[in-house]
Amino acid sequence: MGNGAIETIQAVIHNFVKSKILINLPTFSSYYEFAKNRIEVIYNKLDKNDKFQLDIEQFIQLIKKEKPDTIVLINPNNPTGSYIKLTDIKYILAECQEVENIIIDESFIHFSFEDDTYTFKSAAELVKYYNNLIIIKSVSKDFGIAGIRGGYALMNQNKVKFLLKNGYLWNISGLAEYFFNLYAKETFYQEYEKIRVKFIKDTQDFFANLSKIKQIKVYPSLANFALVELIDGSKCSDFCYKLLIKYGVYTRTCTDKTGLDGEFVRIAARSESENQIIIDSIQDMFLY
Ligand SMILES: *Cc1c(COP(=O)(O)O)cnc(C)c1O
């Protein structure tokens, strides 16, 4: 358990990465920020022409060539929302057994699905079979509780023992512990499941409606946000300021994200009625 998933990321990067880490771009910046100085960081840039989808074969070839001791996959990825199917994750794991640490960050996995049952396909169980697999999971986004600072990582027992020996004790609050007791309850999970599936349907409807606005391009996402490219020549910071000041809608510029060529913003889904307000605001803004 960590004081937010961020603490588990820090623990894993600082304790298990030896000399070389492979990270896809664009990414959640903590992965390379914690790696700075001591560790060589290799980037694999995802292509917007491929809708930021990971090319599995090319990725495996890159691993064989560069021989990193650690690789990071964020699934679905932040900030692109792009998703890697569980069969492809299994294939990567099978092909990369010589890699010492395979980190899979599933902080947005609850928003993903592979068929019309909307079940999410976590790789968490595979920790039992792959000693090199490390699953990272935040509960900040799917449960909307970033403030209580709760997250966890799943990994081989020896790695857990090593971390506990090296100071990760008394790091979570009573409030986070209270939440995780709920999280483990079957009844809580059943209630959550109903809301989760409804939220996914609303979110995918929202993305489809956003896509109809001709000044923007919405990249396919299985997270609760979509990466949006402005294709009418406007600047992403202008877009975000106007939406916030004039309409009270907060979206995130991606100017600080490495590996994005163009004007990009990240727009998160909210409730059905709030999503409509976001759509109406963007449409209205483009009129003036
Ligand atoms: C937000 C986020 C985290 C960190 O979440 P915590 O709030 O520290 O639990 C980790 N990974 C990804 C991909 C995230 O987006």
Side-chain angles (χ1 to χ4, degrees):
M1 313 282 309
N3 195 272
I6 205 85
E7 191 188 38
T8 65
I9 296 171
Q10 184 173 20
V12 165
I13 304 280
H14 285 172
N15 288 283
F16 303 131
V17 182
K18 291 209 172 119
S19 59
K20 201 172 189 179
I21 188 168
L22 173 64
I23 300 173
N24 293 315
L25 279 185
T27 189
F28 183 64
S29 60
S30 302
Y31 283 101
Y32 60 80
E33 283 163 0
F34 285 132
K36 265 179 194 163
N37 305 326
R38 200 173 57 83
I39 300 158
E40 184 186 355
V41 184
I42 308 281
Y43 295 108
N44 176 50
K45 199 173 159 193
L46 302 171
D47 191 343
K48 70 176 178 183
N49 298 315
D50 301 333
K51 298 172 180 158
F52 300 104
Q53 270 296 315
L54 181 70
D55 180 336
I56 309 289
E57 287 303 334
Q58 175 258 324
F59 185 66
I60 290 171
Q61 287 315 311
L62 186 64
I63 292 165
K64 308 246 182 233
K65 180 172 155 259
E66 292 285 349
K67 300 191 179 8
D69 58 78
T70 304
I71 62 176
V72 179
L73 293 168
I74 305 176
N75 198 31
N77 191 23
N78 182 6
T80 62
S82 53
Y83 176 74
I84 308 162
K85 282 194 169 160
L86 185 59
T87 51
D88 290 328
I89 293 279
K90 285 181 178 167
Y91 178 65
I92 294 169
L93 287 169
E95 288 290 311
C96 299
Q97 301 201 44
E98 71 284 3
V99 178
E100 279 175 59
N101 309 294
I102 299 184
I103 301 173
I104 303 182
D105 184 326
E106 295 191 337
S107 293
F108 294 93
I109 198 88
H110 287 189
F111 301 111
S112 72
F113 57 94
E114 294 193 6
D115 55 39
D116 58 13
T117 64
Y118 293 97
T119 40
F120 60 89
K121 309 262 187 186
S122 169
E125 289 286 314
L126 301 175
V127 168
K128 288 182 200 152
Y129 310 105
Y130 291 97
N131 284 339
N132 57 352
L133 177 59
I134 299 169
I135 303 284
I136 305 264
K137 176 80 179 73
S138 172
V139 292
S140 293
K141 321 296 166 46
D142 37 16
F143 292 89
I145 49 170
I148 75 165
R149 309 308 302 132
Y152 57 92
L154 306 168
M155 65 193 94
N156 171 274
Q157 272 297 328
N158 294 329
K159 284 193 171 104
V160 174
K161 277 188 196 136
F162 183 86
L163 291 182
L164 291 180
K165 254 190 217 150
N166 287 278
Y168 292 92
L169 211 54
W170 308 119
N171 54 343
I172 73 160
S173 70
L175 214 52
E177 189 182 334
Y178 177 78
F179 168 77
F180 281 112
N181 279 322
L182 293 176
Y183 190 60
K185 275 194 182 134
E186 190 58 34
T187 47
F188 177 84
Y189 187 75
Q190 283 158 1
E191 286 304 305
Y192 172 63
E193 226 4 57
K194 288 181 213 154
I195 301 160
R196 192 184 67 84
V197 171
K198 161 96 169 69
F199 184 84
I200 291 176
K201 289 178 181 168
D202 290 348
T203 299
Q204 291 299 325
D205 286 347
F206 171 53
F207 295 161
N209 289 332
L210 264 183
S211 304
K212 292 178 192 152
I213 302 174
K214 63 178 189 306
Q215 291 91 341
I216 62 178
K217 177 171 177 170
V218 180
Y219 287 87
S221 169
L222 287 183
N224 64 333
F225 54 78
L227 186 63
V228 171
E229 186 174 10
L230 309 179
I231 51 172
D232 69 329
S234 54
K235 288 271 168 233
C236 56
S237 41
D238 289 343
F239 178 97
C240 293
Y241 292 148
K242 270 192 210 157
L243 260 188
L244 179 62
I245 293 163
K246 198 163 170 209
Y247 303 91
V249 173
Y250 179 66
T251 54
R252 190 194 188 285
T253 60
C254 290
T255 41
D256 59 333
K257 290 274 173 195
T258 5
L260 278 176
D261 305 318
E263 295 296 319
F264 286 89
V265 296
R266 197 183 62 194
I267 303 180
R270 293 185 59 95
S271 69
E272 218 177 339
S273 58
E274 286 171 310
N275 291 344
Q276 193 54 50
I277 294 172
I278 300 171
I279 301 267
D280 293 344
S281 304
I282 295 174
Q283 276 172 333
D284 192 73
M285 190 178 70
F286 279 125
L287 286 178
Y288 302 102

